[in-house]
Amino acid sequence: MGDNLGRRARQTRFNPIRNLTPERLAQALDQFDIGYLRHAGLLWEVIEDRDDVLHIVGQKRRKRVSRQPWDVLPVDDTPEAQKHAETIKDFLNNLTVTEAADENVRGGFRLLVRQMMNAVFCKYAVHEIVWSAAGGKLRAELRFVPIYFFSNTTGRLGFIGPEGAGVDGQPLPEKEWMITTGDSALMKAASVCYVFKRLSLQDWLNFSEKFGVPGIHGETPAVKGSKEFEDFVDALDAFASDWVTATNVGAKINLIEAKQNGDGPFSPMVERMDRHLTSLVLGSDLSTMSRKQAVGSQPQQADSDQLLQDDCELCSETLQMKLIRPLIEYVHGTSEPLAYVKIIPPVEKDVAKEILVDQFLIDNGAELDAAETAERYDRSLADTMKEGAVLKAAVPAPVVVPGKPRPGVVAENDAALTEGGALLQNAMAQALGVVPRWLAPIAAELRTLEAKAASGISDAELLDFTDAAARSLPELFDQLDSSALADDLEAAMGTAVINGVTMALRKPAGKKAA
């Protein structure tokens, strides 16, 4: 591109928006369409830099893409594909990115993406690729070159430099330049909005200067040219400058004010252009602009998300075709990369829908990985949960049919059929579990008696043993500790009372309990 490009660009610099009119803008846009990009490119750069709204939303559109995560993915599991992926990732992590006309700007991959997004605004974003070898590895410096350094008269960009030398420009070698091409140039429409906004602001300012301070009309009976008349004129001048004056009898000072009050037609036009600029660039209004018209905010957000996805795909595809392919060809000797770079847009989540799907799967016997499910919902698991834990359908509480007790268990209370029956069932089960421990001393005597009966002793001997056991019962009962059983029975009765009150409160109004 030549030496001292930054100096040459500054020496030929001028202000393209000075005395900008709709006619001059239309001429620049027409020239852009036939391939003369210089005038429109200079206009667009200054307009975006100086307009308060366009400057903000332009940076938002660019940075929404550059802030997204990116990755290098192999196309298959072969060792060769893994090598390609390692080469690409190492190369992109060590990129150097700058601007051809301002080498103070330095950055890496994220800066490169922001510069590539200039294609959305100006149709093209051009980078010169300066290849180099460092430490036995291929490296590159990408230098962003403004659109007004090129022409497009032949259907292919040609370099004309900051002076605009030549018509067609110098051709751009394929592997030495990366050209990002957008669908259209947003700045065409944005510059039209800017001109109408600027005209309205100028008219608003002129109106304020002319009618912001009221005019002064003085009335005096003095004859024109007389000393009294001249004194009155001097008084009017003093009143206009410091609002303090003195007049003779019969003199009057009247203020003349414009009938048009407020902002007139200027404010609606400026607000309309600001809204259109924002919608044009972001696909939706800024939140501060949407407060008055909240309806339709969700469709606008969907449009904005689609733009972000398209921007990510545009940058990813351009990098793959214009940068990754020559890299793999230089390093691995093939023009078909087995790995690709992907800027990953955010995935919109419908949390309610995902919960319904997960619940459907679990209810039908599927098991979901607990860690992955928690991550999808941005939640963390307890440290005590084991690795590989799964989410599955909960085991339902057993349904107890009155009059049909389960084997080995005393028939449950009919309250088990109610909503709170499970609580009572658990409390009673705990109480019944204490009974064997509480009756342990007596149970031991009974087992001894049973063994005596089975040994074939006579009825008289068995009777004597039974009488002795009966006489020892008071002593055995003194050894029993009923405190645990009492606590469990108290808990069971408390649970039953709470369940009964809850059921009574839930009975429909106007109906008596059976």
Side-chain angles (χ1 to χ4, degrees):
M1 290 189 301
D3 298 329
N4 298 321
L5 189 63
R7 180 187 296 275
R8 291 160 54 198
R10 284 161 178 75
Q11 289 175 345
T12 58
R13 190 75 177 180
F14 66 97
N15 183 2
I17 65 172
R18 190 182 300 276
N19 301 320
L20 179 62
T21 62
E23 292 77 13
R24 290 183 59 194
L25 175 63
Q27 183 181 9
L29 297 181
D30 290 341
Q31 289 179 348
F32 184 90
D33 290 336
I34 62 177
Y36 298 101
L37 313 181
R38 179 175 174 77
H39 193 192
L42 288 168
L43 273 174
W44 294 344
E45 183 179 81
V46 177
I47 287 174
E48 184 179 353
D49 182 60
R50 298 193 181 184
D51 184 81
D52 56 336
V53 173
L54 188 56
H55 182 79
I56 294 173
V57 296
Q59 293 299 319
K60 280 180 174 288
R61 178 73 178 268
R62 291 177 170 88
K63 292 182 178 180
R64 280 198 309 190
V65 183
S66 66
R67 286 198 300 264
Q68 300 306 313
W70 62 276
D71 200 0
V72 177
L73 306 173
V75 297
D76 52 44
D77 296 332
T78 62
E80 187 177 3
Q82 296 296 329
K83 290 181 181 179
H84 284 202
E86 292 173 2
T87 298
I88 297 171
K89 186 171 293 187
D90 177 70
F91 176 79
L92 295 179
N93 281 325
N94 290 278
L95 275 180
T96 302
V97 182
T98 185
E99 294 184 3
D102 188 358
E103 296 186 9
N104 298 298
V105 178
R106 311 290 288 185
F109 185 83
R110 296 191 182 279
L111 175 59
L112 174 62
V113 173
R114 289 200 299 271
Q115 293 173 346
M116 293 175 68
M117 282 296 297
N118 203 57
V120 174
F121 294 83
C122 300
K123 181 70 173 180
Y124 307 106
V126 187
H127 285 85
E128 183 187 20
I129 308 173
V130 182
W131 300 95
S132 64
K137 293 185 177 181
L138 189 63
R139 297 288 184 248
E141 180 180 77
L142 277 80
R143 303 166 61 84
F144 176 73
V145 186
I147 187 62
Y148 47 82
F149 284 13
F150 301 90
S151 69
N152 190 32
T153 54
T154 64
R156 295 180 68 90
L157 292 183
F159 181 75
I160 60 175
E163 298 86 3
V167 177
D168 298 336
Q170 303 173 13
L172 308 180
E174 187 72 21
K175 296 180 182 180
E176 297 179 12
W177 294 85
M178 183 178 74
I179 303 173
T180 309
T181 306
D183 295 333
S184 62
L186 287 183
M187 286 303 299
K188 288 183 179 180
S191 57
V192 173
C193 292
Y194 168 80
V195 169
F196 287 125
K197 173 183 174 180
R198 173 175 171 153
L199 292 175
S200 297
L201 286 173
Q202 289 176 342
D203 292 341
W204 197 353
L205 179 61
N206 293 335
F207 180 87
S208 298
E209 289 180 346
K210 187 172 183 179
F211 298 107
V213 178
I216 300 175
H217 175 215
E219 298 181 27
T220 177
V223 179
K224 184 178 180 179
S226 64
K227 183 178 184 303
E228 290 80 4
F229 187 87
E230 297 299 331
D231 290 341
F232 183 69
V233 171
D234 292 340
L236 290 178
D237 290 338
F239 181 78
S241 60
D242 55 19
W243 290 74
V244 176
T245 188
T247 62
N248 57 357
V249 177
K252 294 174 60 180
I253 297 178
N254 303 315
L255 299 181
I256 303 176
E257 297 181 332
K259 295 182 179 180
Q260 179 66 48
N261 295 321
D263 299 332
F266 315 114
S267 179
M269 176 62 76
V270 173
E271 182 179 353
R272 178 180 175 83
M273 292 301 102
D274 283 342
R275 185 178 294 277
H276 277 280
L277 284 171
T278 305
S279 299
L280 180 68
V281 176
L282 297 182
S284 61
D285 291 340
L286 292 173
S287 58
T288 53
M289 289 185 172
S290 299
R291 288 174 183 168
K292 297 180 181 179
Q293 299 179 359
V295 178
S297 60
Q298 291 183 349
Q300 286 183 350
Q301 183 61 45
D303 292 341
S304 181
D305 293 340
Q306 290 178 359
L307 288 179
L308 177 56
Q309 293 175 0
D310 288 344
D311 292 342
C312 291
E313 291 178 2
L314 171 65
C315 293
S316 299
E317 292 176 355
T318 302
L319 288 169
Q320 188 69 18
M321 295 179 62
K322 304 296 181 64
L323 189 62
I324 301 305
R325 282 187 176 178
L327 168 69
I328 295 300
E329 185 175 354
Y330 286 143
V331 177
H332 295 280
T334 175
S335 60
E336 294 299 328
L338 298 180
Y340 60 95
V341 60
K342 181 178 179 62
I343 300 175
I344 306 170
V347 179
E348 183 180 359
K349 289 184 179 181
D350 188 339
V351 177
K353 184 177 180 180
E354 288 195 16
I355 292 175
L356 289 176
V357 173
D358 290 346
Q359 189 63 52
F360 173 80
L361 293 174
I362 292 176
D363 291 344
N364 286 275
E367 295 183 351
L368 303 180
D369 184 90
E372 292 181 359
T373 305
E375 184 178 358
R376 279 197 291 116
Y377 294 110
D378 297 326
R379 297 293 185 268
S380 58
L381 298 177
D383 295 337
T384 55
M385 182 165 275
K386 297 181 180 179
E387 184 178 356
V390 296
L391 302 178
K392 55 186 178 181
V395 178
V399 178
V400 181
V401 179
K404 188 177 181 181
R406 290 172 294 169
V409 180
V410 180
E412 309 286 353
N413 190 292
D414 287 348
L417 296 175
T418 67
E419 185 177 357
L423 296 175
L424 180 59
Q425 174 185 332
N426 293 337
M428 290 300 298
Q430 184 174 354
L432 293 174
V434 173
V435 172
R437 300 194 304 273
W438 180 58
L439 296 176
I442 298 177
E445 292 294 44
L446 292 176
R447 284 195 294 271
T448 303
L449 179 60
E450 183 181 8
K452 289 284 187 182
S455 63
I457 62 176
S458 63
D459 292 340
E461 292 176 340
L462 179 61
L463 183 60
D464 293 339
F465 181 83
T466 303
D467 291 339
R471 288 193 298 271
S472 63
L473 283 177
E475 182 179 355
L476 291 175
F477 280 120
D478 290 339
Q479 299 176 13
L480 300 181
D481 183 7
S482 60
S483 58
L485 178 61
D487 293 340
D488 290 327
L489 289 175
E490 181 179 358
M493 288 186 290
T495 302
V497 171
I498 293 174
N499 290 338
V501 173
T502 302
M503 293 175 61
L505 293 176
R506 289 184 178 180
K507 289 184 179 297
K511 293 185 178 181
K512 296 182 179 180

